[in-house]
Structures are given as C-alpha cells and as structure tokens.
Amino acid sequence: MKKNTSMLLIAALAATFLFAQNESEAKNGSIPPRPNGPVQKMDVPFPIGVFWIQPAGEITDASMEDIKNMNVNFLVPHNGTNSFSTNDRVMDFAEAHDLKVMAFDERFNYQFTNKSEPLSAEVLAAPQDNVDHYNGRPGLLGYNIVDEPTGYESIDNVAQVQDLFRAHDPDHMTFVNLNGYWDNYNHTGYSKDVSGEFATPNSPLGQSFRTMPDEKKITSIQVWLDYNQFKDDEKLTMNIWDSPQKKKLIDSSTLTPESARLFTTFNFDAKVKGNTDYYWEIVHEGGGDNSVGWIIRSKDGENWYPQGTGYVKGTPINSDFFFFVNSSFYENYVSQWASKNPDMLSFDYYPFGHNSGIYEHTYRTLEIVRRQSLKHNLDLWSYMQSVGTESMRVPNEGEMRYNLYTNLAYGVKGIIYFTYGTPQIPGFQDGLLNSNGEKTNKYYYAQQNNAELLQLGGTLKQLTSLAVYHTGSTIPAATNRLPAKSAVQPADSNEPYIISYFEHQNGDPYVMIVNRDFDHARVGTFTLKHKPKWIKEISKVNGTAIDTNYDKKTGQLTLSFKQGEGILLKLPAGYDLD
C-alpha cells in the first residue's frame, strides 16, 4: 500500500525493517552507547534492589537495617512513597544505612504514559522540580518514571520525560521498567482507529511483504486477531506463497483454537531469499460458524507497511494487516523503548504460576530482552519473584535461586525483588516480609543469594553475553539447543542445563552453567574441546578465581549444583568458545 501515512502504529509494522536495522546499527557502532552513564557509575559490586518496602511513615532504623542486612544496596520504595515528603523520609533512613533510593513522583502516574496526547504542563514541570528538590542528597539513586508503560503510543511521552530529567541532572539515572511477554496482553497500547476482516472459507485474507536483505528463513509470522472468535473445531491455515499470484507454495502453518492468542503466531520452516517479495494468506478451513475475526488491519487509506499491501479474496485493498515476520509485537515494544537510549533496559516476568513448572514465555521474554539489550548496548535489569499472588505461587528456595541464576545466565546486570513487603492488596501473600512485617524464609533465601551475587558481581558486570544454550531431553520454547560442536558439552545431553558464553571486557572467555532443575540438586560432568590448560571457578565466597577438579588430560570437569544453581567459570585467554 503506497498512500499517506498518518498512524503511530506504522512503528509497529516497521518491525520487519526495525530489528535488522537495529542489529546493523549496533554492529556499526552508530547506536550511541552509555558506557560511562549513571548505571555504570554505581559504586556497588552489583545493583540489588527491593520493591515495595514499608510505608514511609512506618520506616524505622531497625526496619531499614533489615533491608541493608539482606545485602541490598538500593530501594524502589513504592507503597505510597510518591511525594517529596514521603521520599524525603525514606531517603533520610536510607542515607543513614548507606542505601540509595529510586524516587517516584505521583505526577508520573500510569495515565500520562498510556496516551499519545501531549504531556500536561504539570508533568513537564515535574523533572525540574524533582532535580531541584533532591539536589545534593547522597541517598538519591535516580528517578523512577513509570512501571510497565503500555505500548508504542506512550513511549515517546516516557522518553520526553527521561530527556527532561537528563537535561537537568545528567548524573543520576532515570528508571523505566517494561512488562514481559504475555499472550493476551496488548503491548502495543493501541486500541483505536483500526479496522479488520473476518476470515471465512470464501474470504481468504493476505498480505504481500518483503524480506530483509539478509533474511534466509521465515520461522514465524504473527498477526493480531480476536482469539475469542474461534470455535472448538475451527482452524486457520497460513500459506506463504511466492506472490499474490500463488505460483509456488513456500510453506504452511495451521492454527487451532488451543494455540490461538490475541497476537497469534504461525510457525514455519520456510527457506526464503533476502530482499524478495512474498505473500502470506490466511485460509479458513471450515468448521464452527465458518468465521474468525477480526483480523486487524489499518483503516482504508492508512499505510502501515510501505513495501506491501493487504488482500481480501485475492483482491488488493487500500490497507495493510498488522503482522510481524520473524519477530513479534512484544519484541517491537521492547525495541521501541530500547531505541530511546534508556540508562538500562529493565523488565519483569514472574515465572512461577500456581501450577508446577514455569510460565511458558519465561525464556521467550529472556531471549528477547537479551537480544535487544545487546543490540542497543544497554545493561539489562530484571525483577525477581519473591511473592505470591492470585496468579503466582510463593516461590521456594530452589525456585528463587533458579530465578536469579537463570537471569544472570542471560546477561542480567541488576536485580530488584518483587516484593519486599507483602502488599495489602487482595491475593498477595508472603513477600520477603509477611503481611505482619515479619521476615519469611524467603528473606533468608534472598539474603544468601545476594551475598553470592555481591561476590560474583565484580566479574559479572564486566561480561558481555555471547550465546545462551540449553540442554535436556526437551528444551524450553524459544530457546536454542546446545550445538553438538560447541565448546562445552555435558556428559549426558538429556540433563537440563543452561550453558552461557561470555566475554570479559579484557577479552577473556567465561562460561556460566545453570542447573535448570529447581527441584533437584545434581552432579554434572562436562567435556571441553581443545582441552584448555586450566579452568577456574569464580568463588561465591570471595569473588576470586579458584581451582576446580578439571582434568586437562581428559578435558573433563565435574560440578555439583544445588537446585537452580549457576556456576561461573573462567577459561584461559584466547580459548575458543565456538
């Protein structure tokens, strides 16, 4: 479609261009890094924070000392701490205990970031007011702008506030935290000025599109539809053709009601050529009421995808469908914010639901945020689950350890516990403190995990993630299986490990191995090709490189893991991890 462009949503559909562009820019160094920004200048071994402490009026020296003794170094207070007076009180106690505060202003409420309208004068004045008020306070870590902004339309507004803070105070960080990947959550934040079509047996829906210059394969195409329209026996099939004339079928994927989502993904294994036009078409296979819709498209005359056009019944329309090739609505949401050059890329995704195991998009979220943090040269921060809710179980010791080390294996360089206290909100139960303000077992689990992290942190902060692989009889969705020729191999490939490769800023290779089983401890033996001369473990007691039981004659190393534990290894300079 080649007509006028007037919608913010074109940024979403530009994903088929955006991600490759970002990757290219990162390689060429044109995305401005912030290697000496406020995050990197934090004078701590590793950033460890807590969210939702006691209300400001209930803070005492003893309660702040408890936070400090959990090996924490900063606070995201929340829980009504949203004014100068409440932040000042929290900061008074924090400063006395060598802690820092991410200050939040009540003027930065959820509504102002969820709209595309210009920001109010009150909001625009708030950054200068905050900087003037907290000027000179040693307890100020930075400014907490918003938690979980809802999508593309709000990101420009958030960035505007971020830039105002930076103009007035470049020495303190600004903080924005993104949501994780959820199937039926509209991260686009877009809910108006759209149209749509119903797929029926007599009305196939299609879209022409162009691959990226280096694209060799199509593994997924995601569309936006009303999944509630599916009946039990209805199916949609998406076919990829060489053109709208459909002379050559490239691949097909069929969607059932069980797999339908708000942003529905059709999975493929289609070999394609770069910078080449193709055509996808959705065909209703019959059943139910013979109709599934809406499948979202732009309003007539709106150009969401300049290098293609939508089709209904094989006839081009003056519109484009909402779709992503080899990407997703969520990754574009993350990329949109990452492109604003924040001080760090922070996200939350809580893996432990009430059923056993983890939520299905735990690793999909980690893969996406890791990829985007690397492309934009940003430190990656993550929230740790330490509370139960109506939809989340209370994590145990192994699960909390697993949550931490899994995130570290994906390159996370800062963590925040959700939550410290237990919110007085229906459904919340047993944070690090219970509803009576008493320490739970999880307080001590976190305290031990943090103690280890403070020892590992000096090394972890200097590492860049190179690759993350999984082993096991099955591996989690969206992850990559350890290649057979990779440098580190478990003796039993059916055992569930994460094997992550890193490069130190001095060029030295590092490996982290995580026991992906949070219910059972295990002993694993690993073989390293090329048989390096030595392998050291970074000690969780003092942070030094210590000897292991590595046998350089056999190239084998045996490691003992607690439930969910990770072990960080240092290898000789020049060792090839490929």
Side-chain angles (χ1 to χ4, degrees):
M1 199 183 75
K2 305 296 189 293
K3 298 206 174 178
N4 65 302
T5 303
S6 62
M7 298 180 69
L8 288 172
L9 197 56
I10 190 171
L13 273 299
T16 46
F17 304 104
L18 180 62
F19 301 121
Q21 178 186 353
N22 284 341
E23 183 172 18
S24 175
E25 288 176 349
K27 289 178 180 177
N28 295 332
S30 59
I31 292 177
R34 296 179 60 83
N36 298 310
V39 174
Q40 291 75 25
K41 291 179 180 177
M42 286 184 70
D43 187 21
V44 295
F46 196 93
I48 302 174
V50 289
F51 178 89
W52 197 279
I53 65 172
Q54 297 93 335
E58 298 177 15
I59 294 291
T60 64
D61 273 310
S63 65
M64 192 63 73
E65 185 67 14
D66 283 341
I67 295 175
K68 176 70 174 180
N69 288 341
M70 206 185 79
N71 297 308
V72 163
N73 43 53
F74 74 94
L75 315 174
V76 187
H78 215 66
N79 195 11
T81 302
N82 57 12
S83 64
F84 289 154
S85 61
T86 52
N87 276 295
D88 283 341
R89 178 173 171 80
V90 171
M91 212 173 290
D92 287 341
F93 286 97
E95 289 170 350
H97 294 271
D98 196 26
L99 294 168
K100 293 188 180 292
V101 178
M102 199 80 79
F104 180 68
D105 190 307
E106 60 189 344
R107 284 172 285 186
F108 303 137
N109 55 53
Y110 292 100
Q111 294 182 357
F112 95 83
T113 56
N114 290 344
K115 299 178 181 179
S116 58
E117 290 82 4
L119 297 177
S120 68
E122 181 183 33
V123 169
L124 291 172
Q128 179 73 77
D129 292 347
N130 275 262
V131 171
D132 290 344
H133 182 82
Y134 298 115
N135 182 38
R137 292 217 59 161
L140 178 67
L141 177 62
Y143 309 98
N144 183 8
I145 298 176
V146 67
D147 187 50
E148 300 178 347
T150 311
Y152 312 143
E153 291 189 300
S154 66
I155 282 174
D156 284 345
N157 280 350
V158 180
Q160 186 178 359
V161 173
Q162 170 187 264
D163 292 344
L164 286 171
F165 270 116
R166 286 179 176 170
H168 301 310
D169 182 3
D171 296 325
H172 290 91
M173 69 181 67
T174 52
F175 182 62
V176 173
N177 178 64
L178 303 184
N179 209 330
Y181 189 115
W182 296 99
D183 278 324
N184 293 323
Y185 181 84
N186 186 357
H187 290 89
T188 68
Y190 198 87
S191 59
K192 64 181 184 298
D193 292 334
V194 299
S195 188
E197 297 289 340
F198 289 90
T200 71
N202 298 319
S203 182
L205 310 177
Q207 175 80 36
S208 58
F209 65 96
R210 184 170 300 166
T211 55
M212 293 302 305
D214 296 329
E215 212 156 28
K216 306 289 187 199
K217 181 183 286 190
I218 293 176
T219 58
S220 67
I221 297 179
Q222 192 170 73
V223 299
W224 182 1
L225 56 73
D226 182 357
Y227 62 99
N228 293 307
Q229 291 285 317
F230 271 89
K231 308 302 178 185
D232 289 341
D233 57 348
E234 283 185 295
K235 296 179 181 179
L236 293 182
T237 293
M238 178 181 280
N239 298 310
I240 300 177
W241 296 90
D242 60 333
S243 69
Q245 288 69 45
K246 299 190 292 188
K247 295 179 180 179
K248 181 181 179 181
L249 179 64
I250 308 299
D251 202 4
S252 294
S253 176
T254 297
L255 183 75
T256 63
E258 293 77 18
S259 56
R261 301 288 188 268
L262 176 66
F263 293 93
T264 289
T265 301
F266 293 88
N267 296 307
F268 298 95
D269 186 19
K271 294 181 180 179
V272 295
K273 296 179 180 179
N275 202 30
T276 302
D277 292 331
Y278 291 90
Y279 174 71
W280 62 252
E281 186 174 65
I282 294 175
V283 178
H284 193 291
E285 301 284 3
D289 61 359
N290 288 317
S291 177
V292 173
W294 271 2
I295 297 177
I296 298 298
R297 66 171 175 84
S298 60
K299 296 185 73 174
D300 291 345
E302 296 288 356
N303 185 6
W304 283 356
Y305 191 84
Q307 292 183 304
T309 192
Y311 284 75
V312 175
K313 296 183 182 180
T315 301
I317 58 176
N318 192 16
S319 177
D320 294 300
F321 285 95
F322 186 101
F323 72 103
F324 296 98
V325 176
N326 290 338
S327 189
S328 66
F329 70 98
Y330 178 71
E331 183 150 10
N332 194 54
Y333 163 73
V334 176
S335 182
Q336 290 278 325
W337 174 241
S339 70
K340 303 299 183 183
N341 198 27
D343 283 311
M344 83 292 287
L345 182 59
S346 177
F347 74 100
D348 60 52
Y349 190 94
Y350 306 113
F352 308 115
H354 282 295
N355 297 325
S356 60
I358 60 174
Y359 277 121
E360 65 176 311
H361 294 310
T362 298
Y363 288 102
R364 190 180 304 278
T365 300
L366 284 167
E367 291 280 342
I368 289 171
V369 294
R370 171 187 171 272
R371 184 160 55 239
Q372 290 300 322
S373 69
L374 290 172
K375 287 181 180 179
H376 294 271
N377 198 15
L378 299 170
D379 278 6
L380 185 60
W381 286 19
S382 175
Y383 277 76
M384 300 288 105
Q385 182 179 339
S386 55
V387 72
T389 69
E390 291 179 342
S391 60
M392 305 187 314
R393 68 181 181 268
V394 176
N396 60 31
E397 182 178 10
E399 290 168 340
M400 288 184 66
R401 189 185 298 116
Y402 159 91
N403 197 182
L404 172 63
Y405 280 100
T406 294
N407 277 265
L408 296 179
Y410 274 81
V412 164
K413 289 183 168 59
I415 65 166
I416 303 169
Y417 285 91
F418 180 86
T419 58
Y420 181 71
T422 300
Q424 300 296 311
I425 299 173
F428 276 81
Q429 54 181 315
D430 288 341
L432 299 175
L433 306 183
N434 63 23
S435 58
N436 295 320
E438 303 161 332
K439 297 171 189 173
T440 65
N441 287 339
K442 293 187 300 304
Y443 174 95
Y444 300 101
Y445 302 154
Q447 183 183 53
Q448 177 59 39
N449 288 344
N450 295 345
E452 295 178 3
L453 185 51
L454 290 177
Q455 299 304 319
L456 297 175
T459 299
L460 289 170
K461 289 199 302 181
Q462 299 180 74
L463 300 182
T464 297
S465 177
L466 300 178
V468 182
Y469 299 117
H470 289 250
T471 67
S473 54
T474 61
I475 65 172
T479 63
N480 298 302
R481 182 173 289 279
L482 180 71
K485 295 182 179 181
S486 194
V488 181
Q489 295 291 332
D492 183 353
S493 61
N494 289 319
E495 291 190 335
Y497 295 109
I498 303 171
I499 298 179
S500 296
Y501 296 159
F502 295 90
E503 182 179 289
H504 193 279
Q505 64 182 17
N506 66 12
D508 288 349
Y510 282 74
V511 175
M512 178 176 281
I513 303 177
V514 178
N515 173 17
R516 212 174 60 231
D517 186 344
F518 47 72
D519 291 323
H520 303 95
R522 66 180 61 248
V523 177
T525 298
F526 302 85
T527 301
L528 282 84
K529 72 176 183 179
H530 313 313
K531 297 181 181 179
K533 293 180 180 180
W534 50 262
I535 300 176
K536 304 284 188 178
E537 177 184 348
I538 304 303
S539 170
K540 295 170 183 165
V541 176
N542 58 25
T544 62
I546 59 176
D547 291 335
T548 64
N549 61 19
Y550 171 67
D551 186 337
K552 65 181 180 181
K553 293 181 180 179
T554 63
Q556 289 190 330
L557 171 69
T558 299
L559 299 171
S560 297
F561 299 88
K562 298 175 184 177
Q563 300 94 322
E565 184 182 18
I567 296 175
L568 181 61
L569 304 171
K570 178 180 180 180
L571 287 86
Y575 182 80
D576 187 2
L577 288 170
D578 290 335

